[in-house]
Amino acid sequence: MDFERSLELLWRDRGEARQPTRGRKPKLTLDQVIDTAVALADGAGEATVSMSQIAKELGAGTMTLYTYVPGKTELLDLMVDSVLAERDLPGPGDPRPDGWREQVRLYAERTLAVFRAHPWLRSTSMVRPVLGPGLMAGQEYLIAAVSDIGLEPRNTAAAANSIEIYVQANATLFAETAQVEQETGQSTDAWWGQRSVFWEKYFDVERHPAMTRIWESGGYDADTCEAADETFAFGLERLLDGIEALVTR
């Protein structure tokens, strides 16, 4: 893979990306190719998307697509960054929510929404991320949110990274849930409902007294979706509490 070519395409708004120049005037745009690939991935998963499928959807020849993007690897980079850009987070100088915690909550809310809308994102690596404008806009926003609360520079970076990791980990879990439900046609609540025999026949209250107390006190009354949202919000708020305590200390 030519990673510089990938970067050139990701940052094509800087005017350096090459467009098809041979033959007749291009009927397609790179954005059309990306949008079509994303739509196909949303419907059936990223692994099932092929250049021939995209070409068929666009009414073009498969080889024509290679004049826009070198291959599937580079296309996936463009797809990932395109959907991350859907968060549409405020940029430098744009109005933001009041207070750094509200700004972080906005980042979290929009990131979760993107992963839920595009479940295939869970299969992409965030360890070696796509260095495109969608990703960088999110990181810039998050750094800006915590940069003026009184932390030392390295703690500022650590705080932003901790928030990003927490949000992405949960977003990936939510995306996996959505993807599994999409592939099986069965909700997570229905899946657990089918396994009620486990609690009736195999669950030993004497071996699990803590779980039993919480169960009997209503701690598990929420459905799976509500419980996931509550768990995420609880963890995020405690993370922000810890950062705030460090600042005040």
Side-chain angles (χ1 to χ4, degrees), residues 3 15 86 88 91 102 122 132 141 150 155 215 219 233:
F3 74 91
E86 291 177 9
D88 194 24
E102 281 300 321
R122 65 176 285 264
Y141 174 85
N155 281 342
W215 184 286

Side-chain angles (χ1 to χ4, degrees), residues 44 46 55 85 108 122 163 187 196 205 239:
E46 171 271 326
R122 65 176 285 264
I163 294 166
S187 71
S196 59
V205 296
L239 175 57

Side-chain angles (χ1 to χ4, degrees), residues 154-193:
R154 289 186 67 168
N155 281 342
T156 298
N161 288 337
S162 296
I163 294 166
E164 181 181 31
I165 290 169
Y166 178 79
V167 171
Q168 282 190 354
N170 280 273
T172 299
L173 182 61
F174 288 179
E176 180 178 3
T177 300
Q179 190 170 47
V180 169
E181 290 184 345
Q182 181 187 62
E183 291 173 352
T184 63
Q186 182 184 46
S187 71
T188 303
D189 281 329
W191 185 89
W192 279 110

Side-chain angles (χ1 to χ4, degrees), residues 19-247:
Q19 292 294 330
T21 57
R22 292 174 295 177
R24 287 179 277 181
K25 183 178 179 180
K27 295 182 179 180
L28 304 176
T29 66
L30 181 55
D31 286 337
Q32 285 178 298
V33 175
I34 297 167
D35 291 345
T36 301
V38 168
L40 288 169
D42 290 347
E46 171 271 326
T48 66
V49 176
S50 67
M51 298 295 268
S52 60
Q53 279 183 298
I54 299 167
K56 182 178 179 181
E57 289 291 320
L58 291 170
T62 301
M63 295 308 297
T64 300
L65 298 189
Y66 289 100
T67 64
Y68 293 87
V69 61
K72 178 71 178 292
T73 301
E74 291 83 1
L75 177 60
L76 181 58
D77 285 349
L78 293 164
M79 292 165 61
V80 169
D81 204 68
S82 174
V83 298
L84 289 178
E86 291 177 9
R87 293 180 292 184
D88 194 24
L89 294 162
D94 292 338
R96 295 173 175 239
D98 293 333
W100 70 276
R101 293 180 70 130
E102 281 300 321
Q103 292 175 33
V104 170
R105 292 185 190 111
L106 178 65
Y107 170 88
E109 173 187 314
R110 294 190 180 180
T111 300
L112 293 185
V114 162
F115 274 73
R116 278 173 160 156
H118 308 286
W120 54 270
L121 268 179
R122 65 176 285 264
S123 62
T124 63
S125 174
M126 293 300 173
V127 175
R128 299 180 179 182
V130 177
L131 300 177
L135 174 78
M136 299 305 292
Q139 294 192 337
E140 171 63 25
Y141 174 85
L142 202 50
I143 284 285
V146 298
S147 63
D148 295 323
I149 63 176
L151 294 172
E152 295 294 327
R154 289 186 67 168
N155 281 342
T156 298
N161 288 337
S162 296
I163 294 166
E164 181 181 31
I165 290 169
Y166 178 79
V167 171
Q168 282 190 354
N170 280 273
T172 299
L173 182 61
F174 288 179
E176 180 178 3
T177 300
Q179 190 170 47
V180 169
E181 290 184 345
Q182 181 187 62
E183 291 173 352
T184 63
Q186 182 184 46
S187 71
T188 303
D189 281 329
W191 185 89
W192 279 110
Q194 287 184 338
R195 284 149 182 81
S196 59
V197 66
F198 168 77
W199 308 105
E200 299 165 358
K201 187 175 180 180
Y202 298 100
F203 183 75
D204 188 340
V205 296
E206 293 183 357
R207 293 180 63 181
H208 307 93
M211 292 177 65
T212 300
R213 284 195 302 271
I214 295 299
W215 184 286
E216 292 176 346
S217 300
Y220 297 122
D221 284 353
D223 62 34
T224 55
C225 184
E226 184 181 2
D229 288 340
E230 289 178 355
T231 299
F232 172 75
F234 180 87
L236 180 63
E237 292 306 314
R238 301 300 74 76
L239 175 57
L240 301 188
D241 286 345
I243 294 171
E244 193 164 41
L246 177 62
V247 172

